[in-house]
Amino acid sequence: MQEQTRLDLQHHMLVMLFKDLIICTPIKEIMTKKSTKVLDVGCAMGTWLDSVYRIYLNPEYHGVDIADELNQWEKMSMAKCIFGNVLEGLPYEENTFNFVHQRLLFTGVPKAKWPAVIAELARVTKSGGWIQLLEYDVVTYRQGPASKALGGTFAAMLDKRGMDVHAGSNLVRYMNEASSNSGGSMSLTNISQKTVSCPIGWGGKVGELFAQDSEKALQSMKAFLPKIMGLSNEAYDALVKENMAECGRNQSFGNFTCVYAQVVKN
């Protein structure tokens, strides 16, 4: 439940940051239709799905995730959620959805797999439909010593595991690679990118939410990050506290990038 609380904070922060739930403006034209089918990949407990449903009542909503808690939340959206792993292939037929959404899987998708993941999103999307991805670059700007120590260790750990610490910045390139690798059977067109800097611990409510999200994320890594850094739990707690203070003093920020594209099947 603590992780869900963090994800809820993160969700509200992202909506404030991008000023909308659906950054892919072209899809809004069909979100009023009952024939529209929407999929959230990595839906967790359905925060994004339910939030979209509050605005767009008519579409049919679906979610897929590797989490065990899939069916432990009350589905306001009546979303049909099933177990599945995008890295292994989504459990849906081709050309099923009009809109496929995915966000913040940079810790779970290896760098080499990103084009294939995007191709899989496109596979289950109808021709003429849209995909929208939102990712984060694991870089804190205007860092202090504590921020460098924590952020550097986390980024190095992800890099060692083969993850892309610049996933947000590389989304457009991955989309182009997915198109190129399709052998002409699929292309992603009308690609649009929006990058927004988010303050950490300053700059109003959005910065406050990002600070809370960041602190909770760091606390969730207490099971392994102190050991990697050679710190006691007490020293780690002190470093996290100093990191949060630094971010406010230095007016630190990080960048989130949203990219959406239209799927064309040939």
Side-chain angles (χ1 to χ4, degrees):
M1 191 54 66
Q2 286 184 346
E3 177 63 6
Q4 184 57 35
T5 299
R6 186 185 73 81
L7 292 176
D8 287 343
L9 282 173
Q10 184 184 84
H11 171 77
H12 293 302
M13 179 266 293
L14 290 171
V15 173
M16 290 181 69
L17 187 64
F18 283 91
K19 297 181 173 58
D20 210 336
L21 281 162
I22 298 176
I23 298 95
C24 178
T25 52
I27 198 65
K28 293 181 180 180
E29 296 178 9
I30 65 167
M31 288 298 287
T32 56
K33 298 179 180 179
K34 290 186 177 181
S35 59
T36 298
K37 292 185 178 182
V38 178
L39 173 66
D40 187 17
V41 177
C43 65
M45 294 179 75
T47 303
W48 183 86
L49 286 165
D50 280 353
S51 294
V52 174
Y53 173 76
R54 289 187 181 99
I55 302 170
Y56 302 101
L57 300 176
N58 286 328
E60 180 181 298
Y61 291 97
H62 296 256
V64 61
D65 202 292
I66 61 172
D68 295 330
E69 299 88 356
L70 267 181
N71 293 306
Q72 295 181 14
W73 49 278
E74 294 182 6
K75 306 173 191 65
M76 180 185 298
S77 61
M78 301 300 292
K80 300 170 184 176
C81 295
I82 60 176
F83 182 89
N85 186 341
V86 68
L87 294 175
E88 298 172 359
L90 293 170
Y92 303 102
E93 298 293 328
E94 294 182 11
N95 309 313
T96 300
F97 301 100
N98 303 93
F99 181 40
V100 176
H101 169 268
Q102 177 182 292
R103 73 180 181 192
L104 298 182
L105 295 189
F106 64 92
T107 62
V109 177
K111 188 184 301 185
K113 296 288 186 179
W114 269 107
V117 164
I118 291 172
E120 182 62 8
L121 302 184
R123 182 187 69 81
V124 301
T125 305
K126 295 178 181 181
S127 186
W130 295 80
I131 61 174
Q132 174 183 299
L133 296 91
L134 191 155
E135 291 296 337
Y136 181 66
D137 286 352
V138 189
V139 179
T140 300
Y141 296 91
R142 298 179 189 152
Q143 289 181 321
S147 302
K148 288 179 180 178
L150 288 165
T153 302
F154 180 54
M157 182 193 74
L158 290 176
D159 186 66
K160 187 175 181 180
R161 289 171 50 200
M163 305 301 169
D164 187 359
V165 296
H166 299 285
S169 295
N170 290 326
L171 282 176
V172 170
R173 176 166 64 84
Y174 291 143
M175 284 192 174
N176 289 328
E177 288 181 17
S179 295
S180 298
N181 295 343
S182 73
S185 63
M186 178 276 297
S187 61
L188 295 170
T189 63
N190 297 317
I191 297 175
S192 182
Q193 174 178 323
K194 183 177 182 179
T195 298
V196 184
S197 297
C198 189
I200 309 172
W202 63 280
K205 185 64 175 179
V206 69
E208 177 186 330
L209 289 173
F210 194 19
Q212 292 177 36
D213 174 42
S214 299
E215 186 171 14
K216 288 181 182 295
L218 288 168
Q219 289 299 338
S220 73
M221 291 186 268
K222 195 173 179 178
F224 56 87
L225 211 55
K227 184 176 180 180
I228 295 173
M229 300 178 73
L231 298 174
S232 66
N233 285 342
E234 293 76 13
Y236 180 78
D237 287 340
L239 190 64
V240 170
K241 184 177 180 179
E242 175 56 22
N243 169 69
M244 304 319 300
E246 272 181 4
C247 287
R249 287 196 306 266
N250 297 349
Q251 295 193 332
S252 303
F253 64 91
N255 289 336
F256 291 86
T257 297
C258 180
V259 177
Y260 60 83
Q262 189 171 30
V263 178
V264 176
K265 306 284 179 73
N266 301 315

